[in-house]
Amino acid sequence: MSNFPRIAITPGEPSGIGPDLVLKIAQQDWPATIIVLADKDMLQDRATLLGLPIKLKEFSDEGEPQKHTPGELFIIHHALAEATEVGVLNEKNGRYVVDTLTTASAGNMAGTFDAICTGPVHKGIINQAGVPFSGHTEFFANHSNTSDVVMLLATEGLRVALVTTHIPLAYVAKAITPERITKVATILYQDLQVKFGIDKPKILVCGLNPHAGEGGHLGKEEIEIIEPVLAQLNAEGMDFVGPLPADTLFQPKYLDSADAVLAMYHDQGLPVLKYKGFGNAVNITLGLPYIRTSVDHGTALDLAGTGTANTGSMEVAIAHAIKMAIENKAKR
């Protein structure tokens, strides 16, 4: 078995900074085979604009995976519908973006790739192209026929997973059900074991209400829903601590001994993580039958082609994909 996993990269929106990021990281040394799914002419033109040397090689899955060579990229060509103008969205290329994601997902399910690393997409322009698209996470879950997935964001020293994601705050309490917490917590625990190589993860769990309900005086969800679920999961051999007040949980005396935090809703856990590591954080989709990591930012159309785009999040996303792919192979 090769020690160099195959990492498929989808640059995302072709008029944004995704192609810039891929070309920049291609100049670096990586212990993996890097395969980009994109239009080869678009990448070559962007490399010329940025003044970056690049050699694009047609990808073949025959033979052993190779260590990445700086200045080179393996490529699976996907033709744009129209030549892209840097920084200018074109709905005719919306389907192109989805086609690259489809190839990446299918390749992982077939075992051709060991992980996917995704660049930023523009959801609006994809929908304008007539392709229903609510996001990477939902797309990959649907394509892989996965019923339940979990959003995890990670940066140096902190991992935060979410019980609920992109729903209005008014709906959160109703969405915090025993079934939902059990599913999310189980996926988080198991993927920390399998994809991160942590034998017995310790996970801190936020309460829903201020002060974790203050013994029922500020809400009863902790007593009636969260505590019983955690007790059952711990009885099954897992290690969940909580529910804890979210306003005091995010400090070293708790986090230093934990492997992840499970937050009840989007803006409970992510503001802390993004304050700590924005631009150097990674979005990871748990529960999929393969590894998927992503940058934590958008398309930044105004920075495309300028050479000023920060590669920090892309570097972290690729590094996590490589590490998780190696751990995943070791667990097989």
Side-chain angles (χ1 to χ4, degrees), residues 28-327:
Q28 303 174 20
D29 192 27
W30 295 100
T33 301
I34 306 295
I35 307 113
V36 62
L37 282 55
D39 185 292
K40 60 184 179 182
D41 294 328
M42 179 272 294
L43 274 184
Q44 195 67 65
D45 289 345
R46 191 69 61 89
T48 300
L49 178 63
L50 296 172
L52 294 173
I54 195 67
K55 179 180 179 182
L56 300 176
K57 303 181 294 183
E58 184 178 349
F59 171 72
S60 170
D61 61 359
E62 297 180 1
E64 284 293 304
Q66 306 169 22
K67 185 175 181 292
H68 175 70
T69 300
E72 298 183 359
L73 280 172
F74 285 103
I75 187 168
I76 297 177
H77 175 65
H78 284 262
L80 287 164
E82 287 188 356
T84 190
E85 182 179 348
V86 177
V88 180
L89 295 170
N90 184 345
E91 66 182 50
K92 292 183 179 179
N93 288 324
R95 190 171 295 278
Y96 154 86
V97 174
V98 175
D99 287 345
T100 66
L101 302 180
T102 301
T103 298
S105 180
N108 270 266
M109 294 178 68
T112 303
F113 310 133
D114 297 302
I116 303 170
C117 180
T118 58
V121 298
H122 193 287
K123 298 176 188 176
I125 208 68
I126 296 174
N127 281 279
Q128 285 183 39
V131 183
F133 186 84
S134 56
H136 278 113
T137 301
E138 295 82 1
F139 175 86
F140 288 132
N142 181 66
H143 188 269
S144 63
N145 198 29
T146 303
S147 58
D148 297 295
V149 293
V150 174
M151 180 185 291
L152 174 77
L153 270 77
T155 190
E156 184 66 31
L158 181 61
R159 301 184 185 101
V160 177
L162 304 175
V163 175
T164 63
T165 53
H166 301 124
I167 62 173
L169 191 58
Y171 300 163
V172 168
K174 292 181 180 179
I176 301 298
T177 64
E179 294 78 15
R180 179 64 184 166
I181 297 174
T182 299
K183 285 180 180 179
V184 171
T186 302
I187 290 170
L188 173 60
Y189 191 89
Q190 292 176 345
D191 268 15
L192 286 174
Q193 289 181 310
V194 175
K195 295 179 179 177
F196 287 84
I198 303 171
D199 288 334
K200 189 172 176 57
K202 178 180 179 181
I203 301 166
L204 307 182
V205 182
C206 297
L208 173 64
N209 298 294
H211 301 178
E214 197 77 78
H217 296 288
L218 296 177
K220 297 185 182 298
E221 286 85 358
E222 287 77 12
I223 294 172
E224 295 177 355
I225 299 174
I226 303 174
E227 289 179 9
V229 170
L230 300 186
Q232 178 60 42
L233 293 173
N234 288 340
E236 295 172 7
M238 303 184 202
D239 189 2
F240 289 90
V241 180
L244 302 171
D247 65 338
T248 55
L249 181 159
F250 291 96
Q251 52 181 307
K253 73 175 183 178
Y254 298 118
L255 297 176
D256 286 352
S257 63
D259 298 296
V261 173
L262 181 59
M264 292 295 115
Y265 57 94
H266 187 280
D267 282 13
Q268 182 181 62
L270 296 195
V272 180
L273 184 135
K274 292 191 176 184
Y275 175 77
K276 178 178 174 63
F278 190 77
N280 288 287
V282 56
N283 186 341
I284 304 167
T285 305
L286 305 182
L288 293 171
Y290 49 77
I291 295 161
R292 180 256 168 166
T293 68
S294 179
V295 296
D296 69 344
H297 56 72
T299 55
L301 297 172
D302 58 323
L303 299 180
T306 66
T308 61
N310 189 324
T311 60
S313 184
M314 178 63 83
E315 292 177 18
V316 175
I318 294 174
H320 269 77
I322 293 171
K323 183 177 180 181
M324 292 168 67
I326 293 172
E327 291 288 353

